[in-house]
Amino acid sequence: MKRIFAGIIILLPLIFEVANAQNQHREKLLFDSDWKFAFGHPSDISKDFNTGTSYFTYLAKAGYGDGAAASDFDDRSWRKLDLPHDWVVEQPFDSLGSHSHGYKAVGRNFPDVSVGWYRKSFSIDKADEGKQIFIDFEGVSRDAKIWVNGFYLGNEPSGYQSFSHNITELLNYGGENVIAVRADVTTEEGWFYEGGGIYRHVWLRKTNPLHIAKDGTFVRTEITEGKATIKVSTEVINQAKETKTFTFKHKVVNASGDELAVVETQGGSLVPMKDGKYDAELSVANPHLWSIEDPYLHKLITEVIVDGKVVDEYQTTFGIRTILFDADKGFFLNGKHVKLKGTNNHQDHAGVGVAIPDELLVYRVKQLKAFGSNAYRSSHNPPTPGLLDICDSLGMVVIDENRLMGTNDHTLKEVERLIHRDRNHPSVILWSIGNEEWMIEGSEKGAKIALTMQNYVKTLDTTRPVNAAISGGWGYGISTVIETMGYNYLPHGNTEEQHKKFPNQPGMGTEEGSTYATRGIYLTDDEKHYAAAYDKPPRENWYSIEGGWTYYDERDYLAGMFIWTGFDYRGEPTPYVWPSVTSYFGMMDLCGFPKDNVFYLKSWWQDEPVLHILPHWNWEGKEGELIDVWVYSNCDEVELSLNGKKLGRKKIEKNGHLEWQVAYKKGTIRAVGYKNGKKIITEERTTTTQSETLKLSANKTNLFANKKDISVVTVEVLDKKGNAIPTANTEINFTIDGPGEIIGVGNGDPTSLEKEKFIADNIVIGLNPVKQLPLTKKVLDDLMPEISSNVFTKDTSGLKVYTGSFEIKQTVDDEANIKWFYQNIANSQAVYLNGKLIAQKVSDTYNRSEIELAKTNLKEGKNTFVVIGTPLKKKNEWDIPNQLPGSIQVYTPAKQWKRKLFNGLAQVIIQTKGNENGVITLKAASPDLESGELKIQVNSIK
């Protein structure tokens, strides 16, 4: 059966959201700024801020969040940062780290950095009382627990699901509030780099009690000649204390804001704490359709009206388009046949890990589109919402993928959350319910699970087909029931047989390739873990990129192919192990620098003329040896020459490439491309000379002053003639001035163990509860004899001794700033550390003070402190006086940013900071080279 799917689809534009979208009826405020962060611990309670140790824990009684979850917890020593944040990318590499996660020193073997705590203080206006207030998380990696003002909100185990909490009743209106988040990455969820922390956006949402639910609109279309019928479903929630009767007004506007259609409909009545779904229809004449080439977007404005007054306004940006998956002819968009030219991708980039800023996602999608890719598979989890916004606005269709297959309530609800969140994006053309579930994919059990999940998806959305990616078991198991077949790797079966056996089942290559390539390397060196960048099959009987694409392109019944992968990612460094830390599969490296396969794809995935030569022509010491020279082109013919001597003119077959063997000689190797007998394009590689100058270039040199805009800077070394040196591996130092900061560096080297971030080192030493002892000479002589004689020269009546210790496990840097963020454990306190008086007459009226420490006050290993004072008085007999003397912060300023080039390239990612206009100046320096400089203008958003 051939089915057509049509949809009008939602998009919240990035500029709209980042500008803290709001109208008079609802607000959605970006909640990314001014968080505090510190490491906890998965098993050592004392290192986890003694959370969950009170007589009443947060699971026992409401509001009893303790430790770092408590409202009054002292987080002054914690690190200050903005979101998104990935703490794992900041850690060093270690051979004991997880192979699948890129050998970062985190996980079960590194418990001290496997739990991260976040806290944020915020105020809520008194005028907001009476509204509904929500906290919305786009994703936290992983196993997140959330508290607000000490009230436990719940747990989200997945690092990829978006989730939300209503915090209306828990807030202090007109006062201060605290949110606390604990993330634990001890156990991995995926088999690829996942990072750790609040790595996606957080939002604070305010609505009236009667309002449209989060992700509460679903818009579909039926398109006939000259007209689109728009079907709208709206979910409304009544959280008022009385019954509400309401109506709707729906309005469609185009990209210019012109009103195209409007309808007013009856709504209904909802008693308190109930919700309802309501349908409406509109009609748009001669609709401007959304497509890959022309991703045109409209907006639906929905108003909820009570007694003639608007109480909620919900805006849905959408695109109008039809999709068809035909079992014999492939994929059609708006009735036009489109071969899917896709890539698989994880959320991971050099320097920033999974905490990819939105503008860096824009850069990545544009890099894919630049070589003709029109499709993106979110491997293997729900994507960050911003990615779908970008694909909507740039014209990239998407397979939206569920994380884990299953039929229990929890798993099905995860599928439901994914679909509700993403169902209105025009870019989403398929729901994938799973990927390579080897335990079940070829079995009857797997077929039953897949069929149940597929049927469940159909209760949520009938406008898109359902897909599963299957690496084995073609012809049985899941492949017998899935609506749209996903073939993972041709050696696993026969697509022709599957098509004959299931003639009504559309299909596509959801993964193909898995070729190994190191950018800029043309001789495989297994000792150094470098794989030559020529397009060769990864193993016997497998397909190269060319072979895979040719297979899928030649068969109309296959809708297209998704390459594994678009970008390299941390982890899965097949075919190598440590010290390789990233994959070798990408068409581009971890920075997004193209490997040579990009130009093969560009030759056959788009129409502009392409001519690309590999390898480079720097082969000192190999004079006279034969070098394999390949040419990627979509010309009819290519002629190759070396230093003016012609080496032959060859025809190019469709989806093919050309090869020569050329005896190496310094100079210039040149290719000339011909179309219809005419020379149309020339490309060359020239042997470079000695390094001379550093060059900096950027994808953007004009940025917005919004703390979010990004410039991706490429670093190269040029010779005296201005040619980029493709073999340069020079280390470069970077300095930056102006209203911007470096947030990450990289170079695409799969074996590099260099730092990716140079941040201030903020060590927090949590102090355990003190022990109270009587003040006697024997006690002091046993604890700290150096101070005993001085103490007993004064009146000691009523005084007690409070003592504790802490460990210093590493050498304190000379540049470190050390503070004891002290909390009173007594009155009239004198504080001694390692035998020296460091503070006296510490305030009795203010519980929190700061004690500056010198490096000489501390020592490696055990440090002992003694506090002498009078006991704190209880206000109530059940009170437990404070026994925690605060924490010590060892703050070491960040070192200078630096990175080695790898095969001629490195990358610096710059982000604007604050709201300040001005000029960012990035300077690059290296001994014996002329420095490079780049200026980037920063302007306010108008």
Side-chain angles (χ1 to χ4, degrees), residues 701-711 735-743 909-922 934-940:
T701 54
N702 285 280
L703 302 179
F704 290 116
N706 59 2
K707 298 179 69 175
K708 300 296 177 184
D709 210 356
I710 291 290
S711 182
T735 56
I736 188 168
D737 294 305
E741 60 185 347
I742 300 173
I743 63 170
I909 304 169
I910 293 175
Q911 187 172 58
T912 56
K913 61 181 182 181
N915 300 310
E916 180 186 347
N917 293 349
V919 176
I920 298 170
T921 302
L922 178 69
L934 177 70
K935 292 187 179 295
I936 300 170
Q937 182 66 46
V938 180
N939 297 307
S940 297

Side-chain angles (χ1 to χ4, degrees), residues 489-507:
Y489 306 108
L490 292 169
H492 287 147
N494 189 313
T495 66
E496 302 280 357
E497 291 180 3
Q498 178 77 12
H499 183 50
K500 290 177 183 177
K501 191 173 181 179
F502 302 96
N504 296 320
Q505 182 188 64

